[in-house]
Amino acid sequence: SRPSSKKLFERGLQFVASDTVCFPAKMAHGHIHDLVDSKVTRIFMPMINRLPSETSEPLSTYTCPVLKGYPLVIRYSDDPEHRLNIPLDTPLFHWFTEKDRDDQLARYMRDTFGIDPGLTRRAIIQGDRSLASFYHVMAAEGAEVIARVEKDGGFAVVLAARYYQYDELVNHNLSRYFTNIGIPVLTLDSLPGLRDVDLSKTMLDITNNNHAQLLSGAIIAARHPLLEYVQVFSFGCGHDALYTDEVTRLMAEISGKAPLILKLDESDVAGPLRIRVRSFIETVNARCQKAAQAIESLGDPYPVKFKKNHRKTRTILVPNTSAAFTKILSTAIGKQGCLVEPLPMSGRASLQAGKKYLHNDICFPAQVVIGEAIAYIQKRKFRGDEIAVGMAKFNCDCRLTNYSFLLRRALDEAGYTETPIISTDQLDRKSIHPGFKLSGLSYVRAIWCLIMADILEDLRRKIRPYELEKGETNRVFDQSVDSITYSLKHRGMLGALRAYRYSIDEFCKIRYDRSVPRPVVFIIGEYIANYHPDCNYHIEEYLEQNNMEVKLARMYDVFRKYLLHTVSDVKDFHIRHSLSDTLTAFGGNAFFDIALDGMEKIARKHPLYQNTGRLPRLAEKSDPIIHHSINSGESFLISAELLHNAAEGIRSFVILQPFGCLPNHICGRGVIKKIKEQYPEVQILPLDYDPDTSFANVENRLQMLIMNAREASICG
């Protein structure tokens, strides 16, 4: 396609599925239609889920969720294949290593085009040589520019961005603002030694090559007296909200330098951009006239650690996903000999604390759960040295990977510098909690009891709108969860099972009248937004007050989907994971089925209980829309649940997502059009939440859904 232009951008605007997605993603639609206008006969736009690490960070194999998922959005929104009869090839690849890349490409080219695998492999070798030559030339040119600046004086600017942000329309010709006045500009790829920088002292867990390069470039610029750092990022990029903070911290600690951070979108910013650049240059010139600050070594990014002796001296505060899950997880952690306290829901206090200690570019669920912890600490007047704070963590392409980073900064800002953190991270590569690791048995206990709680939640939602004694269903549910967790703590898993059987009996005693059924609304979306009432503004309660029946996805499926990803890697993409990971994935899937068989057999004693759709079968339904090995955010769960429940007769759906959640641009809004093609009569309402979202805004949109659901119910 031709170089980006305003006209080309506007050419594809009508096909943008999510208006809050980043400028480069919106630009992609214009390039697709430029190819169409150019009369191409085929378009190749692969989905590359993982890439081999190119830096010192072994886990930086994920790609941007939007980058990898956008071929799906193009397929469903622009649809060149069916609308214009131009084939759109969107193969899915998982390249953990170069061998994975070579094998998968050879198979794809053979199976799709009949090309001999040997020819494909020779082409890959040629491509690798060309790419290596490119990097060599870039680094040599960069070294020459740096040497010239060292000889002649002045300074050079490192322009840091993702590759697609070097597009001159996306970055608004930013380099020209410097080169026009004689200041050389270097890209990250032209920095000698970029891929060899030690990133172990960063606070972030780095899961993406681009992120590793951004931080490496900042460290190189901070250490060199004649290099300055300018970073471009796009509105709506949730990850850059974290990385710009860390870039600023690293450069300040190393040499006292301050980067220029520019958030750019499609708006015309020539005037303000010129002012920002000139101000930056003047600041640099003023600093250069002073004595250079000594270069400092980076210290331990997490000096406050949870140690083994803290198990008996620090109370671990466990934040909420839902109240039931928090009680269960707290009990599982407590079984490992720790002092634990589940956090209560803090309501508006948590939202205010989250806004105070985390800036607005951080995702709303992080603000809720971290604000919840700080609000409770302040309310109880804890000393920082008598508590620890727990935080969920999983190495993935979601901001969840770095919630510990956000929590550490928030605790420090609030004055709790002595408070350590624990997390569910098994690797703990930053050595945040060397004295704690969630054991495999704790995982089994937590998942086992979570399945029980999910089944009881399902019954509660079917009974509560129709109960004859107001509040009885919630009372029985709360007592049931307390009984299960108490029994798990004091009598083990068999005791929890007995408490669960008794709970089903108690649910059978609740009187209800379902003779006039209400319209059903199914809610799915980002995990915390889905289940934490303070994060979704108590949407479940609101819908029930408006004579709706609510159904939610099962919480345990979020954990099972990670196992399915690994199983798919092995079976579908022939990837060789470690024996431990492979056995865990296959054994874990078997465990889920065994546990579900047992728990559902007991639950069927209640006349309202119906077996849930098992995740592997739901994945088969959604695979034609989004393959279950794509592991961004909620992944295939949203489309799988929508398809399954639409087939079961549900016609109203709400997708809950934090504003700027990159995966849900793809897995949420991105799949709606395709699902509506199969079920045109369903209504799907995506709701975005951020710290400043008003309930009135949410209510207005929900009322439209409620009225449509009632009308459809009457007509039906």
Side-chain angles (χ1 to χ4, degrees), residues 633-651:
E634 275 52 54
S635 180
F636 68 98
L637 285 181
I638 294 176
S639 57
E641 291 285 8
L642 262 62
L643 289 168
H644 171 73
N645 285 280
E648 295 288 313
I650 293 178
R651 291 296 175 261

Side-chain angles (χ1 to χ4, degrees), residues 520-521 645-653 679 681-684 709 712:
V520 180
V521 180
N645 285 280
E648 295 288 313
I650 293 178
R651 291 296 175 261
S652 300
F653 297 89
Y679 294 96
E681 70 279 10
V682 305
Q683 56 172 337
I684 304 174

Side-chain angles (χ1 to χ4, degrees), residues 20 40 199 204 216 402-403 444 472 484 519 558 564 574 584 603 703:
T20 58
V40 299
L199 296 172
L204 297 173
S216 297
N402 284 303
Y403 273 19
V444 170
E472 183 182 11
I484 290 169
V558 166
L564 283 184
H574 310 285
T584 298
Q703 279 298 327

Side-chain angles (χ1 to χ4, degrees), residues 257-462:
K257 290 184 179 180
L260 173 61
I261 307 293
L262 296 170
K263 184 190 291 190
L264 301 174
D265 64 4
E266 58 266 36
S267 304
D268 183 7
V269 295
L273 189 56
R274 186 178 297 110
I275 293 171
R276 292 286 305 278
V277 169
R278 285 180 177 175
S279 176
F280 176 70
I281 293 171
E282 290 174 6
T283 301
V284 171
N285 286 331
R287 192 185 70 234
C288 290
Q289 294 174 7
K290 301 178 182 178
Q293 183 171 325
I295 304 301
E296 303 289 342
S297 298
L298 291 169
D300 188 334
Y302 291 93
V304 179
K305 304 187 183 295
F306 187 91
K307 301 175 182 178
K308 196 167 185 179
N309 64 301
H310 289 159
R311 292 173 179 237
K312 299 297 184 183
T313 60
R314 306 279 182 117
T315 299
I316 301 171
L317 306 178
V318 181
N320 284 288
T321 300
S322 72
F325 184 32
T326 301
K327 290 179 180 179
I328 290 167
L329 184 59
S330 298
T331 303
I333 294 173
K335 294 282 283 186
Q336 292 187 211
C338 299
L339 302 175
V340 187
E341 183 176 342
L343 285 169
M345 301 280 180
S346 299
R348 298 301 302 179
S350 64
L351 303 187
Q352 293 302 318
K355 288 179 68 173
K356 182 176 181 180
Y357 297 110
L358 295 170
H359 61 69
N360 279 355
D361 280 339
I362 301 302
C363 66
F364 190 42
Q367 294 187 338
V368 170
V369 296
I370 293 174
E372 183 176 74
I374 292 178
Y376 186 67
I377 293 170
Q378 292 174 336
K379 180 181 179 181
R380 289 283 303 274
K381 295 182 171 56
F382 284 114
R383 295 195 321 270
D385 61 355
E386 61 183 347
I387 53 171
V389 180
M391 184 55 59
K393 183 180 177 187
F394 186 82
N395 287 300
C396 58
D397 56 0
C398 172
R399 285 173 281 187
L400 175 66
T401 301
N402 284 303
Y403 273 19
S404 294
F405 162 74
L406 297 173
L407 176 59
R408 178 73 275 153
R409 287 172 62 91
L411 287 170
D412 291 348
E413 181 73 17
Y416 300 100
T417 56
E418 298 178 321
T419 302
I421 297 170
I422 71 159
S423 76
T424 53
D425 180 18
Q426 295 293 289
L427 298 175
D428 190 27
R429 296 185 70 245
K430 300 297 180 182
S431 189
I432 300 173
H433 44 85
F436 175 82
K437 179 180 178 181
L438 195 63
S439 69
L441 183 56
S442 291
Y443 270 111
V444 170
R445 288 169 177 151
I447 296 298
W448 182 271
C449 291
L450 181 58
I451 291 173
M452 299 177 189
D454 265 347
I455 288 173
L456 295 177
E457 285 273 25
D458 182 73
L459 283 173
R460 172 163 76 157
R461 293 185 179 107
K462 287 180 177 176

Side-chain angles (χ1 to χ4, degrees), residues 390-678:
M391 184 55 59
K393 183 180 177 187
F394 186 82
N395 287 300
C396 58
D397 56 0
C398 172
R399 285 173 281 187
L400 175 66
T401 301
N402 284 303
Y403 273 19
S404 294
F405 162 74
L406 297 173
L407 176 59
R408 178 73 275 153
R409 287 172 62 91
L411 287 170
D412 291 348
E413 181 73 17
Y416 300 100
T417 56
E418 298 178 321
T419 302
I421 297 170
I422 71 159
S423 76
T424 53
D425 180 18
Q426 295 293 289
L427 298 175
D428 190 27
R429 296 185 70 245
K430 300 297 180 182
S431 189
I432 300 173
H433 44 85
F436 175 82
K437 179 180 178 181
L438 195 63
S439 69
L441 183 56
S442 291
Y443 270 111
V444 170
R445 288 169 177 151
I447 296 298
W448 182 271
C449 291
L450 181 58
I451 291 173
M452 299 177 189
D454 265 347
I455 288 173
L456 295 177
E457 285 273 25
D458 182 73
L459 283 173
R460 172 163 76 157
R461 293 185 179 107
K462 287 180 177 176
I463 297 171
R464 186 171 54 198
Y466 308 97
E467 63 187 3
L468 297 181
E469 183 181 331
K470 192 68 175 174
E472 183 182 11
T473 311
N474 281 341
R475 178 182 59 78
V476 172
F477 176 82
D478 292 340
Q479 289 176 349
S480 298
V481 172
D482 288 343
S483 176
I484 290 169
T485 53
Y486 178 87
S487 298
L488 177 65
K489 180 179 180 179
H490 296 284
R491 303 186 183 98
M493 292 176 68
L494 288 178
L497 181 60
R498 286 193 292 271
Y500 168 70
R501 288 180 183 274
Y502 177 78
S503 298
I504 294 295
D505 290 338
E506 290 301 295
F507 267 85
C508 289
K509 297 176 183 177
I510 301 174
R511 296 179 304 118
Y512 58 89
D513 179 8
R514 287 180 58 97
S515 58
V516 182
R518 301 180 175 193
V520 180
V521 180
F522 187 88
I523 299 176
I524 184 86
E526 191 276 333
Y527 197 57
I528 296 175
N530 224 31
Y531 301 106
H532 196 305
D534 290 339
C535 195
N536 60 41
Y537 295 0
H538 297 262
I539 187 173
E540 188 176 342
E541 179 182 348
Y542 179 81
L543 288 169
E544 286 188 3
Q545 288 173 351
N546 282 267
N547 295 312
M548 307 292 285
E549 179 183 336
V550 178
K551 183 177 181 182
L552 265 70
R554 300 293 177 94
M555 293 186 73
Y556 55 75
D557 275 343
V558 166
F559 299 94
R560 189 174 190 180
K561 78 179 175 67
Y562 290 113
L563 302 175
L564 283 184
H565 292 157
T566 303
V567 170
S568 179
D569 285 345
V570 175
K571 292 175 64 176
D572 301 330
F573 296 91
H574 310 285
I575 292 167
R576 294 182 179 179
H577 286 296
S578 69
L579 180 61
S580 173
D581 288 346
T582 302
L583 291 176
T584 298
F586 282 86
N589 266 302
F591 163 76
F592 268 100
D593 281 331
I594 291 169
L596 278 166
D597 286 341
M599 298 301 101
E600 292 198 320
K601 182 178 180 180
I602 296 169
R604 285 196 295 271
K605 183 175 182 181
H606 196 287
L608 292 181
Y609 187 76
Q610 296 174 315
N611 286 358
T612 184
R614 299 291 173 90
L615 200 58
R617 289 193 285 276
L618 297 187
E620 291 175 4
K621 290 183 178 181
S622 66
D623 274 349
I625 292 180
I626 179 171
H627 194 267
H628 66 275
S629 67
I630 295 177
N631 53 5
S632 296
E634 275 52 54
S635 180
F636 68 98
L637 285 181
I638 294 176
S639 57
E641 291 285 8
L642 262 62
L643 289 168
H644 171 73
N645 285 280
E648 295 288 313
I650 293 178
R651 291 296 175 261
S652 300
F653 297 89
V654 179
I655 301 177
L656 304 178
Q657 46 200 38
F659 185 85
C661 179
L662 303 191
N664 271 336
H665 288 305
I666 313 302
C667 307
R669 290 180 184 270
V671 300
I672 289 176
K673 183 175 180 181
K674 189 64 178 178
I675 292 173
K676 293 270 292 181
E677 287 178 4
Q678 295 189 34

